[in-house]
Amino acid sequence: MRTIICQEPGRLELVDRPSPSAIPEGWVRIAVSHVGICGTDYHIFEGKHPFLEYPRVMGHEVSATVLEAPAGSGLAAGQPVIVNPYISCGSCVACRKGKPNCCVAIKVLGVHTDGAFCDEIAVPATNLYPAGNLSLEAAATVEFLAIGAHAVRRAQTPKGSRSLVIGAGPIGLGTALFSRIAGHDVTLLDTSAERLAMARDRLGFDRGVVADANMASALAEITDAEGFDVVFDATGYARSMEAAFAYVAHGGTLVYVSVVKDDIRFADPEFHKREMTLVGSRNATAEDFRHVVASIEAGDVPVEALVTHRTTLEAVPADLARWATTKDGLIKAVVRVAR
């Protein structure tokens, strides 16, 4: 089968590899249809991922069609599905608590194990969800949107709350969309006026603040100097994550959607006087995937506005390399694998 391998940082190759053959019990062989390109994939290509071994087949935002399904799985050959790429052990302390998204021994497709930049893969039947009425291209956006949906659910912030989403990249925009769906009054903060303009024009987020010398006064004006009830940081930058504490209202919540290797430092008096809640959000669960599918079907998530770039499996080596450095107008790129 056709496979794109990142042999080492900066080198992608299209090669032929054997299709999956020895399928473990309870797993399903699927034909990959579409794969979204994630920030993680760009980091892998650039050699910036801290815990990755090369060579690696990337790709974890996946839609597919079932080829072979085990009896009793509830799946049938030819069925369009969405892939949950977080393969959990099922027995650790997190899994026993119903939190496989933070499994102690988690293996994420395309990161800890080979992913879906290829014609076929095999995954556990429990990691496949029906695509419903979604197109297979739209179904490939569900995983990245589920990251934001999970973060919003983790925040447990009521309707009518003022929310600030820091970072208007794909994950931040997904978080902003599900914050809006939750009934929050959403403000976006980003260093790029272009990204904020795209969020306004394509997704209807009219309140965007450029992160510059004037941002503190602009944010204070929006909240009458009270701060935001919930702040989501989706930047992946430690300095931004540390600065986010200052934007949280007394009694409010700060959610870290992204993760960094660095230590995060904050002033304990500022944290305590607000009686803040600090929340870590990792990956997503089946509940979040279902919420995303229902929201797309209801017309609350404009997938056609999110997918700005398209390519084919054969063109991935050239296109991904270019988009890693040239992101003008880019929100989400999707690879069409199916021929």
Side-chain angles (χ1 to χ4, degrees), residues 213-336:
N214 301 314
M215 67 179 178
S217 59
L219 294 174
E221 183 177 352
I222 291 167
T223 66
D224 297 322
E226 290 184 338
F228 292 87
D229 301 303
V230 60
V231 176
F232 301 94
D233 191 289
T235 63
Y237 291 100
R239 289 182 62 186
S240 173
M241 294 164 76
E242 292 174 345
F245 282 81
Y247 311 138
V248 182
H250 282 237
T253 299
L254 172 59
V255 183
Y256 282 158
V257 189
S258 52
V259 62
V260 293
K261 288 178 62 179
D262 313 79
D263 291 338
I264 301 297
R265 302 176 182 273
F266 60 91
D268 184 62
E270 292 297 317
F271 176 71
H272 261 86
K273 79 179 185 182
R274 288 171 166 80
E275 197 177 60
M276 280 175 55
T277 300
L278 178 61
V279 176
S281 182
R282 186 182 184 192
N283 299 329
T285 67
E287 179 179 351
D288 304 306
F289 278 76
R290 288 192 294 267
H291 180 34
V292 172
V293 171
S295 298
I296 296 175
E297 290 179 334
D300 295 329
V301 178
V303 173
E304 68 284 351
L306 291 168
V307 179
T308 55
H309 293 54
R310 294 172 173 84
T311 188
T312 62
L313 193 65
E314 288 84 357
V316 162
D319 287 341
L320 190 149
R322 182 173 69 258
W323 295 333
T325 57
T326 305
K327 291 185 168 62
D328 294 345
L330 174 64
I331 297 178
K332 175 56 61 177
V334 174
V335 181
R336 179 174 54 79

Side-chain angles (χ1 to χ4, degrees), residues 35 62-63 86 97 119 137 154-156 223 232 241 250 291 308 317 328 336:
V35 187
V62 191
S63 67
Y86 322 125
K97 292 177 179 177
D119 286 313
E137 181 179 84
R154 290 274 291 147
Q156 298 182 351
T223 66
F232 301 94
M241 294 164 76
H250 282 237
H291 180 34
T308 55
D328 294 345
R336 179 174 54 79

Side-chain angles (χ1 to χ4, degrees), residues 10-295:
R11 184 159 68 96
L12 294 170
E13 292 184 359
L14 176 65
V15 302
D16 285 324
R17 295 179 86 186
S19 299
S21 54
I23 309 299
E25 184 178 355
W27 286 47
V28 179
R29 191 165 68 93
I30 56 177
V32 177
S33 177
H34 291 74
V35 187
I37 300 177
C38 175
T40 298
D41 300 318
Y42 295 119
H43 289 157
I44 293 170
F45 173 74
E46 294 168 326
K48 296 178 180 179
H49 198 287
F51 308 117
L52 187 120
E53 295 182 359
Y54 298 88
R56 177 61 70 222
V57 179
M58 301 183 295
H60 62 272
E61 302 177 0
V62 191
S63 67
T65 302
V66 173
L67 291 172
E68 298 175 8
S73 67
L75 300 167
Q79 182 176 0
V81 290
I82 299 158
V83 178
N84 178 334
Y86 322 125
I87 300 175
S88 58
C89 72
S91 60
C92 73
V93 61
C95 289
R96 295 197 308 270
K97 292 177 179 177
K99 294 176 68 69
N101 57 301
C102 58
C103 168
V104 171
I106 198 167
K107 292 186 181 297
V108 180
L109 293 179
V111 181
H112 305 101
T113 187
D114 281 348
F117 279 4
C118 56
D119 286 313
E120 297 179 17
I121 59 172
V123 296
T126 52
N127 284 67
L128 296 176
Y129 312 131
N133 296 322
L134 274 57
S135 70
L136 282 166
E137 181 179 84
T141 69
V142 171
E143 188 276 339
F144 98 84
L145 290 166
I147 300 292
H150 184 71
V152 172
R153 183 163 65 87
R154 290 274 291 147
Q156 298 182 351
T157 305
K159 183 178 181 180
S161 298
R162 290 183 294 210
S163 81
L164 175 67
V165 178
I166 308 173
I171 297 299
L173 291 176
T175 302
L177 284 166
F178 282 91
S179 183
R180 184 167 67 188
I181 289 169
H184 301 160
D185 184 16
V186 181
T187 298
L188 285 170
L189 176 66
D190 197 273
T191 57
S192 170
E194 179 200 5
R195 284 197 293 269
L196 293 173
M198 288 181 64
R200 180 194 64 224
D201 298 340
R202 299 180 73 90
L203 302 173
F205 289 105
D206 295 327
R207 192 183 301 118
V209 176
V210 177
D212 58 18
N214 301 314
M215 67 179 178
S217 59
L219 294 174
E221 183 177 352
I222 291 167
T223 66
D224 297 322
E226 290 184 338
F228 292 87
D229 301 303
V230 60
V231 176
F232 301 94
D233 191 289
T235 63
Y237 291 100
R239 289 182 62 186
S240 173
M241 294 164 76
E242 292 174 345
F245 282 81
Y247 311 138
V248 182
H250 282 237
T253 299
L254 172 59
V255 183
Y256 282 158
V257 189
S258 52
V259 62
V260 293
K261 288 178 62 179
D262 313 79
D263 291 338
I264 301 297
R265 302 176 182 273
F266 60 91
D268 184 62
E270 292 297 317
F271 176 71
H272 261 86
K273 79 179 185 182
R274 288 171 166 80
E275 197 177 60
M276 280 175 55
T277 300
L278 178 61
V279 176
S281 182
R282 186 182 184 192
N283 299 329
T285 67
E287 179 179 351
D288 304 306
F289 278 76
R290 288 192 294 267
H291 180 34
V292 172
V293 171
S295 298

